[in-house]
Amino acid sequence: MPRVVVDVMPKPEILDPQGKAVLGALPRLGFSGVTDVRQGKRFELEVAHLDDAVLAEVEKMAETLLSNPVIENFTVRVEEQ
Amino acid sequence: MPRVVVDVMPKPEILDPQGKAVLGALPRLGFSGVTDVRQGKRFELEVAHLDDAVLAEVEKMAETLLSNPVIENFTVRVEEQ
């Protein structure tokens, strides 16, 4: 079954407390080399079939349900199986 | 700056209440055509430089801090800018 992936990330200008918490924890756990972390969401949607209408609908879902467009950006892409 | 993406998703055999909530909301919002939704997390890590040692370290981070390996799978990949 075709799979569409929607990635939702906080906009660059928006503070990301979850990402900052991860970034702060890394040195305490002995990790170095990472200079920034942003945390977002990933949705995997299984669709019955794939065409432009379905992709347009997923785009609409991402905008209205899966993300908050005020503070988040999203990308929609088809995942090859 | 190179970016490494870690995707964390609930294992297929694990119930995913967030994904189920999204799936249940879709018909109420007038969307059809999606048969399953899984929700996970996406981490974007900026690293100072990129080599095999850094990637191995990110793999270790994903295993110990970013995911719960009992209930989640993760993938690590370099994102082309």
Side-chain angles (χ1 to χ4, degrees):
Chain A
M1 199 166 279
R3 173 180 293 171
V4 182
V5 174
V6 179
D7 288 321
V8 177
M9 296 301 295
K11 289 188 178 177
E13 66 271 25
I14 298 284
L15 189 71
D16 170 18
Q18 292 179 303
K20 286 282 170 284
V22 170
L23 186 64
L26 290 175
R28 292 198 300 273
L29 292 168
F31 294 115
S32 60
V34 173
T35 56
D36 196 23
V37 179
R38 308 282 289 171
Q39 180 175 345
K41 289 175 283 184
R42 174 188 166 95
F43 297 90
E44 293 180 355
L45 287 73
E46 310 281 334
V47 294
H49 65 283
L50 203 58
D51 57 27
D52 284 354
V54 169
L55 279 182
E57 190 156 82
V58 170
E59 192 93 15
K60 195 84 193 150
M61 282 174 210
E63 207 179 311
T64 54
L65 178 66
L66 305 180
S67 77
N68 177 351
V70 177
I71 58 167
E72 291 168 328
N73 291 326
F74 66 86
T75 58
V76 174
R77 66 196 152 80
V78 177
E79 197 172 78
E80 307 301 330
Q81 303 272 318
Chain B
M1 200 166 277
R3 172 179 293 171
V4 182
V5 174
V6 179
D7 288 320
V8 178
M9 295 301 294
K11 290 189 177 176
E13 66 271 24
I14 299 284
L15 189 71
D16 170 18
Q18 292 178 301
K20 286 283 169 286
V22 170
L23 185 64
L26 289 175
R28 292 199 298 274
L29 293 169
F31 294 116
S32 60
V34 172
T35 57
D36 197 24
V37 179
R38 309 281 290 172
Q39 180 175 345
K41 289 175 283 185
R42 175 188 165 96
F43 297 90
E44 292 180 354
L45 286 75
E46 311 280 334
V47 295
H49 64 282
L50 202 58
D51 57 27
D52 285 353
V54 169
L55 278 182
E57 191 156 79
V58 170
E59 192 91 18
K60 194 85 192 150
M61 283 173 207
E63 204 179 314
T64 54
L65 177 66
L66 305 181
S67 77
N68 176 351
V70 177
I71 57 167
E72 291 167 328
N73 291 325
F74 66 86
T75 58
V76 174
R77 66 198 151 80
V78 177
E79 197 171 77
E80 307 301 330
Q81 303 272 317

